[in-house]
Amino acid sequence: MTQRTALHTEHLAAGAKMVDFAGWDMPLHYGSQLEEHHRVRRGAGVFDVSHMTVLDLAGPGARDFLRHLLANDVDRLKQPGKALYSCMLQADGGVIDDLITYYLGEGRYRTVVNAATRDKDLAWIRHQAEAFEVVVTVRDDLSMLAVQGPNARTLAATVLGGEAGMRALELSIFQAVELGERFVARTGYTGEDGFEIMLPNEEAAEFWRALLAAGVHPIGLGARDTLRLEAGMNLYGTDMDETITPLECGLAWTLAWEPLSRDFIGRKALEHQRAEGRLRRFVGLVLEDRGVLRGHQRVIVEGSGEGETTSGTFSPTLGMAIALARVPAGTEETCEVEIRGKRLKARVVKPPFVRNGQSCL
């Protein structure tokens, strides 16, 4: 049965086109995906991301558990509220999921995993947790809203009101604060500044309506995808999955190799892969000929071999076709992409394509 978030009625009231996403009835757009994309780049938009899964981890073994579970090292989190982006890996280094973990205090962490990977993530986490003194609690009682855009923080702080709003505005990037039952993090998935706000389900609709009344626009999953691709951010299941390691999906920067004594899951496989060398590169592509880039198109690199696009779209901000792609080692500045039987020229770039509303090309 398709699941619904606490904001389902609000989406229908706003005229959303609803689609099934990972078993959830979610808004694709509210009339115009293109317009919603620009609203986030130029003003402020709110996404209902309550279909994602919030987990609280608590206990004397929580820190050691996460240091074993994640490829990045939560020991880097010294100050309550600080956040860490990481991959969760199989023993062979394949990516089970990517997630953000927040340090809440001694023996207390919060993490958010993707909606489409919920069941396998929970099974894996609970299995691995058996060896540690840690309690894993699924927070299905919480909704999650992402407010993004150059005006997002100011408008969201107004809705939060008073001291809560002031404390939210004081947050540094990748930092969060607990405000009673509410949790506000200065994180996001669009390449814009903003907050991700978790709050009790029974408060979600009123908060949503207050955001809209303050001038924040509802944004669907369609624009979320073009925004995240412009921002050069991976999408699980498209740009990475269990067959790919972080070394080949542009996430090597999330691997904490030091200290050498930390034996996180997947470490040995990654060390072996790194030692072998000749890793495929994860790059951005900009199409120079006329056409549209999509995922899983063939990429031809003269003298080096072949690769494929992992996700692609027409960039509303840049007005050109862009893609993320996995290409052979040795790929330099140009390649060709096969689109409908024709080989079209593309330029190799380093993601992101857009950050804070400005072109990075």
Side-chain angles (χ1 to χ4, degrees):
M1 181 178 177
T2 305
Q3 301 178 81
R4 296 176 174 179
T5 73
L7 292 167
H8 189 265
T9 302
E10 302 301 320
H11 299 317
L12 297 181
K17 175 179 173 55
M18 306 299 286
V19 296
D20 178 84
F21 179 83
W24 291 81
D25 196 28
M26 299 298 293
L28 179 64
H29 60 72
Y30 300 83
S32 170
Q33 177 178 329
L34 182 63
E35 185 175 319
E36 289 166 24
H37 180 106
H38 290 313
R39 285 189 184 281
V40 174
R41 287 278 180 252
R42 298 167 183 170
V46 56
F47 306 81
D48 178 12
V49 288
S50 306
H51 57 315
M52 300 181 77
T53 303
V54 180
L55 302 176
D56 282 349
L57 303 101
R63 171 181 163 276
D64 289 343
F65 167 60
L66 288 169
R67 294 192 78 210
H68 173 66
L69 183 75
L70 303 179
N72 209 338
D73 190 357
V74 298
D75 207 33
R76 294 174 171 178
L77 304 176
K78 305 295 186 186
Q79 180 183 352
K82 291 296 290 182
L84 183 84
Y85 177 65
S86 180
C87 290
M88 180 168 65
L89 306 177
Q90 302 177 140
D92 65 2
V95 180
I96 296 174
D97 202 1
D98 64 322
L99 47 87
I100 293 177
T101 300
Y102 303 91
Y103 174 51
L104 304 182
E106 186 65 31
R108 295 175 59 229
Y109 295 85
R110 171 167 290 179
T111 192
V112 183
V113 303
N114 284 306
T117 54
R118 173 187 171 114
D119 291 344
K120 72 167 186 176
D121 283 6
L122 290 178
W124 179 258
I125 290 170
R126 284 169 170 156
H127 174 65
Q128 299 299 331
E130 291 174 359
F132 296 85
E133 286 188 79
V134 59
V135 175
V136 180
T137 303
V138 181
R139 297 299 306 271
D140 285 338
D141 57 318
L142 296 179
S143 293
M144 185 169 166
L145 306 182
V147 189
Q148 301 279 291
N151 301 332
R153 290 174 60 233
T154 302
L155 294 174
T158 301
V159 175
L160 286 165
E163 184 181 348
M166 292 177 61
R167 292 185 66 185
L169 286 175
E170 292 171 353
L171 291 173
S172 302
I173 292 174
F174 248 61
Q175 186 179 25
V177 62
E178 293 180 275
L179 300 168
E181 292 297 311
R182 294 178 176 178
F183 183 86
V184 180
R186 193 174 171 187
T187 52
Y189 192 54
T190 63
E192 297 294 333
D193 206 346
F195 296 132
E196 291 180 314
I197 302 171
M198 302 171 207
L199 72 174
N201 288 333
E202 56 270 24
E203 297 179 13
E206 182 178 352
F207 195 83
W208 171 273
R209 289 193 291 268
L211 286 170
L212 268 54
V216 182
H217 298 275
I219 311 295
L221 296 181
R224 186 170 173 83
D225 192 54
T226 52
L227 288 159
R228 73 90 194 166
L229 185 46
E230 286 185 349
M233 295 183 180
N234 283 22
L235 175 64
Y236 191 83
T238 299
D239 302 303
M240 58 184 166
D241 57 29
E242 293 171 347
T243 69
I244 304 297
T245 75
L247 295 174
E248 293 189 313
C249 62
L251 296 178
W253 63 274
T254 69
L255 301 173
W257 299 104
E258 301 289 340
L260 295 175
S261 58
R262 188 175 70 95
D263 187 22
F264 63 85
I265 299 171
R267 176 172 192 133
K268 289 183 176 58
L270 294 180
E271 288 177 338
H272 180 72
Q273 185 185 29
R274 185 173 62 166
E276 281 189 327
R278 298 297 294 173
L279 296 168
R280 290 173 292 177
R281 294 181 61 200
F282 191 69
V283 300
L285 299 182
V286 175
L287 193 64
E288 296 193 322
D289 288 326
R290 189 178 179 85
V292 178
L293 291 171
R294 301 294 185 198
H296 309 297
Q297 292 170 327
R298 183 172 165 238
V299 178
I300 304 99
V301 184
E302 197 67 36
S304 294
E306 296 185 4
E308 70 167 351
T309 58
T310 54
S311 56
T313 191
F314 182 81
S315 163
T317 304
L318 301 174
M320 60 181 66
I322 62 173
L324 297 174
R326 217 174 328 277
V327 297
T331 301
E332 296 184 350
E333 297 178 354
T334 60
C335 63
E336 293 178 315
V337 182
E338 186 175 277
I339 302 176
R340 297 183 176 180
K342 295 182 180 178
R343 290 168 57 156
L344 305 183
K345 293 180 181 177
R347 177 161 52 100
V348 178
V349 300
K350 181 180 179 181
F353 303 92
V354 176
R355 181 58 55 89
N356 294 323
Q358 302 299 313
S359 172
C360 300
L361 300 179

